[in-house]
Amino acid sequence: MSPESEADLAGEAVLPGVLPEALRAELVAFRRDLHMHPELGNQEFRTTAAIKERLERAGLKPRVLAVGTGLVCDIGDWDGGRPMLALRADIDGLPIPDTKTDCPYRSTVPDRAHACGHDVHTTVVLGAGLVLADLHRRGLLPRPVRLVFQPAEEVLPGGAADAIDCGVLEGVGKMIAVHCDPRVDAGRIGLREGAITSACDRLEIALDGPGGHTARPHLTTDLVTAAARVVTDVPALVARRVDTRAGLAVTWGRIESGHAPNVIPQHAELSGTVRCLDIDAWKQAPDIVVAAIDEVANLHRAKSEINYVRGVPPVVNDPAVTDLLRDAMTVRRGSDAVEGTEQSLGGEDFSWYLQHVPGAMARLGVRTPGERTVRDLHQGDFDADESAITVGVELFTAAAMLDADRL
């Protein structure tokens, strides 16, 4: 973008939708309430009720999804003409304990935490909806916008598929989202055209054999050794059966077998994830991974039972929608507030929406500038710099306003 174009975009006089101070404080309080009461996927009843109540108080008409949690809410009436822009948030928490010790809004629910920032995502879309609703009442919103509050992002294959089945994409032409990034300073976003996340599947394996005494492993199936070889050999085999640039990787999270040091067990269990950078390789992954497991298990005379759980494809950012987010951030913070970002090996079910409509996800900076410690996602001590809420709201409102002028 040229300096002249950037100057044309920048400024509240050109583009309304800056977050009012009173609403800013309310949204921080709303986010803290969600943080204190995390709910797992498809169980987000309190969260859904809180979002619904606040939207209704603003004069909007949110609709709870048919699955029982999550909502969809339109700002303005779609007349069947040009498709709407949709803003998406995920609302579920994680089944891990909140380990923050000096945080007044730490989780009050044992072994539950908003450790992935979904409380921030939810608050950002809620705040954007409230600002856009005010613009609509004032006659300043050029065309309708849809809010999607999706349940169960953390539950493979993701609640996005259920939300799509509930009709959230009807009348939608493009969709945008943010995801908290603790490696990016608050006040900034990270953008990337093309794949920004990776495919992610789940793998569960049971190995069985007759068992026996550790003094006579040659007379039975040495199941612990078989499990160990699956752990070490399968990732290596898989990595050599696709183009290495596809980044197909098997990583284990659990292995369990045996009860005594001198007894070869009859059963072993392993579970892990399969991640992939490339969508074409992801389509081949089940056959490749299952064949590798069977080969290693058979070599050690172990019977294998494999449950390959299909997860999500990569999130592939559409170039035009990525440009929309870049321009929207430039309006609010200037072009220096946008940085490039790499493709992550994390999975995100936002990808299912992008199988139907073009869209893009931005990485929302949540690290306090100058802070050296990175509180990573999916860790019990994760927290976010709450100034990121304002950034996300104003990013989305600017995107909605700019999108109205684009074909």
Side-chain angles (χ1 to χ4, degrees):
M1 183 184 299
S2 69
E4 293 80 8
S5 298
E6 183 175 331
D8 289 341
L9 284 174
E12 169 66 4
V14 175
L15 201 70
V18 170
L19 186 61
E21 186 59 41
L23 183 54
R24 188 191 319 259
E26 179 191 348
L27 291 176
V28 168
F30 188 91
R31 179 258 168 172
R32 292 186 177 190
D33 179 71
L34 295 185
H35 199 83
M36 293 172 67
H37 301 93
E39 297 173 299
L40 299 185
N42 297 314
Q43 301 172 25
E44 312 96 331
F45 298 104
R46 183 186 185 278
T47 303
T48 297
I51 300 166
K52 183 173 184 286
E53 188 278 332
R54 185 61 185 93
L55 291 171
E56 288 177 338
R57 192 149 40 93
L60 298 171
K61 297 179 180 179
R63 308 182 300 279
V64 177
L65 301 183
V67 292
T69 61
L71 309 98
V72 60
C73 182
D74 291 349
I75 302 169
D77 297 320
W78 185 60
D79 60 5
R82 184 179 167 195
M84 291 178 285
L85 173 70
L87 317 180
R88 175 267 198 173
D90 38 11
I91 67 175
D92 56 326
L94 283 164
I96 64 175
D98 189 330
T99 60
K100 298 188 292 294
T101 57
D102 57 352
C103 177
Y105 52 86
R106 69 191 299 265
S107 174
T108 61
V109 185
D111 299 320
R112 303 288 186 268
H114 268 298
C116 200
H118 293 188
D119 53 337
V120 175
H121 307 165
T122 299
T123 305
V124 164
V125 172
L126 173 66
L130 296 176
V131 172
L132 291 170
D134 180 64
L135 293 177
H136 176 62
R137 283 190 294 271
R138 293 157 55 194
L140 298 176
L141 184 65
R143 64 190 184 94
V145 174
R146 175 165 292 169
L147 314 179
V148 177
F149 298 91
Q150 174 214 304
E153 190 276 331
E154 299 288 353
V155 181
L156 289 179
D162 288 333
I164 293 168
D165 288 342
C166 290
V168 302
L169 290 182
E170 293 175 9
V172 169
K174 60 174 71 74
M175 190 176 231
I176 56 176
V178 293
H179 198 295
C180 290
D181 192 335
R183 302 165 301 170
V184 178
D185 283 351
R188 301 175 63 82
I189 63 169
L191 286 177
R192 175 187 176 88
E193 291 184 8
I196 193 171
T197 69
S198 299
C200 180
D201 299 335
R202 188 172 74 244
L203 190 59
E204 299 167 348
I205 305 170
L207 298 177
D208 290 286
H213 199 291
T214 57
R216 293 176 289 277
H218 59 293
L219 299 180
T220 184
T221 295
D222 188 351
L223 206 61
V224 172
T225 296
R229 298 308 300 189
V230 167
V231 167
T232 57
D233 291 353
V234 167
L237 285 173
V238 166
R240 288 296 177 267
R241 293 181 178 180
V242 295
D243 189 323
T244 55
R245 291 170 295 184
L248 183 60
V250 177
T251 306
W252 306 105
R254 184 179 73 93
I255 178 170
E256 184 176 337
S257 185
H259 301 283
N262 61 343
V263 178
I264 294 175
Q266 297 179 335
H267 184 74
E269 295 181 357
L270 304 89
S271 58
T273 59
V274 180
R275 299 180 186 272
C276 188
L277 299 172
D278 178 75
I279 194 166
D280 291 329
W282 176 70
K283 293 175 181 177
Q284 305 172 46
D287 291 339
I288 293 171
V289 172
V290 168
I293 293 167
D294 283 339
E295 286 178 29
V296 176
N298 290 338
L299 183 63
H300 293 274
R301 297 182 297 175
K303 179 183 177 182
S304 61
E305 183 176 332
I306 304 164
N307 181 25
Y308 193 108
V309 182
R310 212 54 162 139
V312 295
V315 172
V316 181
N317 281 350
D318 178 80
V321 186
T322 305
D323 284 343
L324 173 65
L325 288 171
R326 180 178 292 107
D327 290 347
M329 192 64 176
T330 298
V331 167
R332 302 304 189 196
R333 305 276 166 155
S335 58
D336 289 344
V338 181
E339 61 183 64
T341 190
E342 62 187 10
Q343 183 180 3
S344 162
L345 276 169
E348 233 291 351
D349 76 349
F350 184 65
S351 55
W352 289 125
Y353 299 109
L354 305 194
Q355 301 295 302
H356 301 272
V357 297
M361 171 175 281
R363 301 201 188 282
L364 180 67
V366 296
R367 180 180 61 194
T368 300
E371 184 178 359
R372 294 184 178 181
T373 301
V374 175
R375 297 182 177 182
D376 205 1
L377 302 172
H378 287 223
Q379 299 297 311
D381 66 346
F382 173 78
D383 203 356
D385 186 316
E386 290 171 322
S387 66
I389 295 171
T390 298
V391 176
V393 170
E394 295 184 355
L395 171 71
F396 278 172
T397 57
M401 299 295 283
L402 290 175
D403 180 59
D405 296 327
R406 302 187 180 191
L407 296 178

